[in-house]
Amino acid sequence: MYFGSQSPNATFLAADPATDGYGFGLTALDTSLVSLPGAVAALITSGCTALIARHLGYRGTLVTAFGLMAAGFLALGCLHDNVGEMAAAVAVCGAGIGAALGAMPTVIVEATDPEHTGVASALHNNVKTVGGAVSGGAVASLLASHTRPGGTTPYEGGYTAVWLLCAVCGLGAIAAVAGHGTSGGRLSALRLPRPGRAGRRSTPAVRRRGSAGSPGTPTG
């Protein structure tokens, strides 16, 4: 949903408010600068995924990430009359996608049987690619359904519908992750070991020879 929204964000920012009734008439460079906070936020959160997961667990990290994405898209749908507001909303979305992409591969590998991790990782990459293509097509179709008769420019409501749809998808992702974590799966238990505890293993108690009731101990 995040990747599918990139093109609508750019076309909205570049739209001429004098003729289209919305947008800011930004150049390609200005549009890139508005999108920059999202890229920076994604870079930061993806690099800090392990630290976040150490405190929240991977399920908590994913829920938080999808929550940020839903909040960012909701903000875009409600607050898009100011460039600063849009840049802030894009940054929130970027923070969410960075944490989600950073945590998802580890979650998939850890929640999969060892003999199936290669297949699971490959499937994740394929689904991510296909998902971006499908979401892009869905967004284009939604905008086309809100296009002025005989024209090629969507109504403002088309962009609002796209952003709200992405917010709903984020909420659906939260429900999916939370539901899996409460269904007895391994996802809810995934946490990184805290510093100083890595490699510490429990040692089973060993009975002393000759203790009462132990095998091989002569009695009587």
Side-chain angles (χ1 to χ4, degrees), residues 2 36-49 91 93-99 101-102:
Y2 178 81
L36 182 61
V40 173
L43 180 64
I44 294 174
T45 54
S46 62
C48 296
T49 300
C93 290
I97 190 62
L101 292 180

Side-chain angles (χ1 to χ4, degrees), residues 14-208:
D16 187 358
T19 58
D20 300 325
Y22 59 86
F24 307 99
L26 300 183
T27 63
L29 177 60
D30 293 336
T31 300
S32 300
L33 293 177
V34 174
S35 303
L36 182 61
V40 173
L43 180 64
I44 294 174
T45 54
S46 62
C48 296
T49 300
L51 178 61
I52 298 172
R54 183 172 292 121
H55 295 280
L56 300 180
Y58 277 107
R59 183 170 66 92
T61 301
L62 284 178
V63 169
T64 302
F66 291 137
L68 287 173
M69 295 175 67
F73 282 118
L74 181 61
L76 283 173
C78 299
L79 305 172
H80 49 261
D81 295 330
N82 182 276
V83 175
E85 292 174 346
M86 288 197 66
V90 168
V92 174
C93 290
I97 190 62
L101 292 180
M104 187 67 72
T106 303
V107 169
I108 292 174
V109 171
E110 292 291 338
T112 306
D113 293 333
E115 62 270 19
H116 297 146
T117 54
V119 174
S121 299
L123 182 61
H124 165 252
N125 290 328
N126 291 335
V127 170
K128 183 172 61 175
T129 302
V130 173
V134 171
S135 63
V139 166
S141 299
L142 185 58
L143 287 178
S145 66
H146 290 77
T147 301
R148 294 179 175 87
T152 58
T153 303
Y155 292 109
E156 182 179 357
Y159 291 96
T160 302
V162 166
W163 292 322
L164 294 181
L165 175 62
C166 291
V168 171
C169 290
L171 295 177
I174 293 175
V177 174
H180 183 84
T182 57
S183 62
R186 295 171 57 190
L187 182 59
S188 59
L190 292 177
R191 286 183 179 272
L192 286 179
R194 293 187 177 276
R197 296 185 180 180
R200 181 182 298 176
R201 300 180 180 177
S202 59
T203 303
V206 179
R207 291 180 176 178
R208 295 181 179 177

